[in-house]
Amino acid sequence: MAKTNSFKPVGQVLINQREVPFATYRVQEGDTVYGLWLKLRDKTTVGALNAANGLQGNELAAGKTLKIPLVV
């Protein structure tokens, strides 16, 4: 996992009718939504991760690039 303090906004994403900045993260083998949230909980929420990326479950595909909404 990349250093969590290195996340810099690269764009805006609409969550709950509000534009919020987001950074990106490339999913590593074994990452889950909950696991990412544990590492990034000072920056985002599980709900924001799901909403920004259209996620339904906890599993993530390695190599996929996720938007990390910076809502916290």
Side-chain angles (χ1 to χ4, degrees):
M1 166 102 190
K3 290 182 182 178
T4 58
N5 63 0
S6 66
F7 282 94
K8 297 196 185 333
V10 295
Q12 298 278 321
V13 64
L14 191 63
I15 298 176
N16 295 328
Q17 301 170 344
R18 182 176 140 223
E19 285 193 7
V20 297
F22 73 89
T24 59
Y25 172 76
R26 179 160 282 207
V27 176
Q28 305 297 307
E29 189 70 39
D31 281 344
T32 63
V33 173
Y34 181 71
L36 279 181
W37 172 76
L38 287 175
K39 296 173 186 174
L40 301 171
R41 62 182 168 215
D42 63 329
K43 295 171 181 23
T44 197
T45 66
V46 170
L49 282 170
N50 288 337
N53 295 286
L55 302 173
Q56 301 270 331
N58 192 41
E59 301 300 314
L60 297 171
K64 180 177 177 163
T65 300
L66 294 180
K67 294 176 184 174
I68 307 297
L70 306 173
V71 297
V72 177

